[in-house]
Amino acid sequence: MRSLLAKATRQHTRNHNSRLVLRVIYEDEAISRADIARKTGLTRTTVSAVVNELIEQGLIEETGAGQSSGGRLPILLRVVHESHCVAALSFEDTQIVGALVDMRGGIQRRVSVPLQGYRPEDLPGYLTQLLDDLTADPAPHILGIGLSMPGIVDPVRGMVRRAVNFGLVDTPLRQLLQDQYRLPVYLDNAARLTALAEYMFGDGAASGNLVVISIGVGVGAGIVLNGALFSGDGFGAGEIGHVVVADNGIRCNCGNVGCLETVASVTAIVRAARRLATDPSSRLRSLASAAAAIDFNTFCRALEEGDDGVAGIVTEVGRYLGIAVAHIVGLLNVERIVLTGAIAALGPPLLEAVKTSLARHALAPLAAMTRVDLVPERHDAVLLGIAAMVLDHEFGLLRLDSQAHMQH
Ligand SMILES: [Zn+2]
């Protein structure tokens, strides 16, 4: 019993050390064994042993010599990013997209299946088809399978609690795929995964805290606290789109009246634009054949052409988003909040409106220290977020801030 325990402890230490070493190499791009020992506090002997293991697994390789500080030129090590991939599946409105994403966020292979005429009983067949295509030879080592699902997702149990569009209620998706593919399986929702992607592959956040609000047809946020995704007790953290902000608003899909989504989303903007187009002086009239033909692109063009009514709608949307941002600042005091999604196409006029509203609705010193960025919608944000989720679980690569090294 005691020797079993000792063995388990050794195994754990080895795993812990190899994660630590891998993370340092991953962050530094090219680093010597001596510098790894210095950064991690591990002995040189331990570092050498761990490095040999990682080289054997194909995860890292030696890459030329570095700068000498007097003696022999040190050999540098780097991560072989293409050696391991995540099989990522993103459930979208009209299709399921699958991709192999490498350790640096590079898309190595891409497949998709359209959802016309989708029935819930089709799902297992679709998943098998996508995963078989992704993992067909020649494929790199697959680290795990990650999924993004709209709706309420329980990432701890790997369950889809409720995904209305896909007809899934309390579906144990992890169990189903794990049994079939013998690989680790992780899932979460798109807004949270978009936040992870920004944290890991975007500008991130120096403090390890970041909130990303995705605004498209719907509105949702992802919250990263101390370098980890925060899901909430009921896995609903970040569902700010359905907080009521307009007293006399219109009815939302969720059944309530005046949700943030009904006044500050692409859908809300198109609705407001079509109403504005009844004004004969609106530029929108010359850009579309009829009010019903006005879409988000028409709106963006009218904004670029300097239409006052359109600019007024942007200010109003920014005002509501600024109130939402003020609540986040008051609750969490995070140093960076990112707005992204299709709405980012509105550019500086929207960002200015959000900042003005934030200044009016939050405590001045807190508002002043918060950096609000508008980040253009990244085409593959959700796929990258899925990769970040699996890399975090399997290799502990998510906490990229230097302080995280010091915690053990
Ligand atoms: Zn709602």
Side-chain angles (χ1 to χ4, degrees), residues 241-244 251-262:
H242 298 285
V243 173
V244 172
R251 192 163 291 281
C252 177
N253 291 335
C254 75
N256 283 339
V257 171
C259 293
L260 183 62
E261 253 182 45
T262 66

Side-chain angles (χ1 to χ4, degrees), residues 249-318:
I250 63 167
R251 192 163 291 281
C252 177
N253 291 335
C254 75
N256 283 339
V257 171
C259 293
L260 183 62
E261 253 182 45
T262 66
V263 291
S265 63
V266 167
T267 322
I269 287 171
V270 170
R271 196 185 307 117
R274 288 179 182 172
R275 214 163 37 226
L276 180 68
T278 56
D279 176 352
S281 69
S282 171
R283 288 197 91 81
L284 287 165
R285 283 173 89 100
S286 59
L287 292 171
S289 53
I294 292 170
D295 60 13
F296 187 61
N297 288 332
T298 326
F299 183 85
C300 291
R301 231 176 318 144
L303 179 68
E304 274 166 29
E305 292 182 11
D307 184 279
D308 286 343
V310 163
I313 293 174
V314 173
T315 305
E316 189 63 0
V317 169

Side-chain angles (χ1 to χ4, degrees), residues 110-189:
R110 192 190 289 269
V111 292
S112 66
V113 52
L115 288 171
Q116 280 105 327
Y118 169 86
R119 297 163 305 165
E121 58 266 35
D122 297 333
L123 188 62
Y126 284 172
L127 292 178
T128 304
Q129 183 195 326
L130 286 165
L131 286 168
D132 287 353
D133 286 350
L134 283 179
T135 55
D137 283 338
H141 188 85
I142 309 281
L143 203 52
I145 298 171
L147 300 99
S148 160
M149 260 292 164
I152 306 276
V153 175
D154 174 348
V156 175
R157 288 180 194 79
M159 303 267 291
V160 179
R161 287 277 166 231
R162 209 174 140 80
V164 181
N165 296 346
F166 293 94
L168 303 180
V169 176
D170 291 335
T171 308
L173 213 46
R174 168 184 292 158
Q175 201 58 58
L176 293 173
L177 290 175
Q178 229 160 239
D179 289 348
Q180 195 175 343
Y181 289 92
R182 307 270 161 222
L183 282 168
V185 177
Y186 304 98
L187 53 149
D188 213 321
N189 80 23

Side-chain angles (χ1 to χ4, degrees), residues 97 118 147 196 240 253 374:
V97 176
Y118 169 86
L147 300 99
L196 265 196
I240 57 167
N253 291 335
L374 195 63

